[in-house]
Amino acid sequence: MVKRKQMAATSPQAVPVPPLRQPANAKLPGLLRFPILVLSSMIASSAMYSLVSQLGTGDLAGVNKRRDEWWEIAAVLGWKATELGLGWWGEYDGWDLASLTMLSHMPYLYLLTTFYAVRPTTLWIGLLVDVLSTYLPFSLLRDSSPIHRSQPSKGEVANRSILNDLNIMIYTSFLAAAVYGVVIYGSFRTWLPGFLIVHFEGLKDLSGAYEAALPGVTVGFLVSGYAAQSFLFRPALGAKPDAHDMQMAEFNAETATLGQTVWYNIWGYSKRSRTLIKRTATLVLVSVMQTGLRTYITIEGVEPVGAAGWAAMWAAAATLVGTVLWWVGDVEGVSN
């Protein structure tokens, strides 16, 4: 990535980024597409959970509490619609939202399998349902962006050869998984067990924290690592310069006003850096809200402070993953 002090020496040409194509058979009016997306996603989620309830999710009955309060139901449904709205108006495609769902829904299910004796198959079934119930409606209403196409057209994305490099995809996925593993393992070995005992009533087993080994924890996050490189690294690396880059390249500290100087120092990043920053912030926000809300509302005996602390750990991990992936992309020879 181009450093700020290097930006004055470069003059990136703004290349119009083609908007996400709409499927040829999508003739629905624009105002109806988002309500249809929300409705179809919720129906798909409910139908799939009902279908697989006999295949490995029955052990959740001993953990989940009944949602009798209207505000609890409204909060869950409202957050689901908000999560879909972030993806829809954030110009994400199905792959983006599937990766974001994977990363933000994992913490809740990881808590259940590690400390509540819920079977690992339940985790993967739950994740599969959550991912499919967001990916399928999105893929029907919006085509994949050039970033996620196997062979994007020339000029649609930057660094096309790097995006198609299998080794880079594998390395960045492993790196992201390792970051998640280090943060979670470090928490297991320090503050987390005592925190869980105080704020989580009804824990079944803490051996998952005391007996954990770093290699095993890291391997468990390989799928999350792939989702992180798909949601964070790949879109940032493929982002093409825009008009903002041209404005920043023309910045002159000697003639700039105070406001222009402040704005340059706050947001004078390249398109790639801005893409990674915004997506990392989105991941942190969605992870905190999804994890905290779902943990507190659905698991019996969890205090608000406990849910907030569990969510904060994953927010820290997501922030560190975004920072490390930014560092990886900050190399010479990669265009902006």
Side-chain angles (χ1 to χ4, degrees):
M1 294 182 183
V2 176
K3 307 292 190 211
R4 291 187 187 181
K5 62 184 179 181
Q6 294 176 318
M7 293 182 70
T10 59
S11 298
Q13 292 185 342
V15 179
V17 178
L20 295 179
R21 299 179 300 169
Q22 300 296 340
N25 60 353
K27 304 299 183 182
L28 295 171
L31 292 177
L32 293 179
R33 289 184 180 179
F34 179 67
I36 290 175
L37 170 67
V38 174
L39 184 61
S40 60
S41 178
M42 291 183 177
I43 291 175
S45 178
S46 178
M48 283 190 278
Y49 267 116
S50 297
L51 182 64
V52 303
S53 60
Q54 305 301 320
L55 302 179
T57 59
D59 46 353
L60 292 176
V63 176
N64 288 350
K65 63 181 179 181
R66 292 178 56 87
R67 290 196 291 266
D68 297 322
E69 299 291 337
W70 68 267
W71 69 265
E72 294 178 328
I73 299 174
V76 172
L77 295 178
W79 172 246
K80 176 67 174 178
T82 302
E83 191 176 8
L84 293 169
L86 287 173
W88 184 258
W89 281 292
E91 291 297 317
Y92 295 166
D93 65 2
W95 287 110
D96 286 325
L97 205 61
S99 299
L100 179 60
T101 300
M102 166 70 197
L103 293 169
S104 60
H105 289 219
M106 165 69 82
Y108 166 78
L109 295 169
Y110 190 82
L111 174 67
L112 296 181
T113 59
T114 306
F115 301 112
Y116 284 90
V118 174
R119 291 171 293 178
T121 53
T122 300
L123 180 148
W124 294 111
I125 291 174
L127 276 177
L128 183 62
V129 169
D130 291 342
V131 169
L132 288 179
S133 64
T134 53
Y135 171 77
L136 291 177
F138 248 77
S139 63
L140 292 175
L141 293 169
R142 175 178 287 169
D143 265 358
S144 296
S145 70
I147 295 294
H148 292 116
R149 296 181 200 144
S150 58
Q151 295 295 330
S153 302
K154 187 176 181 179
E156 283 189 306
V157 298
N159 305 302
R160 184 170 62 160
S161 61
I162 300 178
L163 289 175
N164 292 331
D165 191 305
L166 180 61
N167 289 330
I168 291 178
M169 183 197 74
I170 293 174
Y171 295 153
T172 51
S173 297
F174 268 97
L175 180 61
V179 173
Y180 270 110
V182 167
V183 172
I184 304 307
Y185 177 77
S187 300
F188 283 172
R189 291 301 184 186
T190 52
W191 64 275
L192 188 60
F195 181 84
L196 293 176
I197 292 174
V198 173
H199 299 290
F200 285 72
E201 183 181 345
L203 288 175
K204 301 293 181 64
D205 188 6
L206 280 174
S207 62
Y210 292 117
E211 298 176 1
L214 181 58
V217 174
T218 300
V219 169
F221 287 109
L222 288 178
V223 176
S224 296
Y226 174 78
Q229 74 83 29
S230 177
F231 182 71
L232 298 175
F233 186 75
R234 188 176 180 88
L237 196 66
K240 297 183 70 66
D242 58 7
H244 180 88
D245 289 312
M246 294 185 66
Q247 293 175 358
M248 293 301 101
E250 295 170 357
F251 175 80
N252 188 329
E254 296 180 354
T255 60
T257 64
L258 176 62
Q260 291 172 334
T261 302
V262 171
W263 179 245
Y264 176 81
N265 284 281
I266 293 176
W267 201 235
Y269 298 101
S270 66
K271 174 67 172 178
R272 183 165 72 243
S273 293
R274 284 181 282 121
T275 299
L276 190 53
I277 290 171
K278 288 189 289 187
R279 283 180 173 251
T280 301
T282 299
L283 174 58
V284 170
L285 172 64
V286 175
S287 295
V288 167
M289 292 300 298
Q290 170 69 23
T291 303
L293 188 65
R294 197 172 181 184
T295 299
Y296 175 64
I297 289 180
T298 64
I299 301 180
E300 189 70 44
V302 176
E303 298 178 1
V305 173
W310 180 254
M313 179 183 69
W314 293 91
T319 302
L320 187 56
V321 168
T323 303
V324 170
L325 292 179
W326 175 85
W327 174 76
V328 169
D330 188 23
V331 296
E332 298 293 335
V334 178
S335 62
N336 285 279

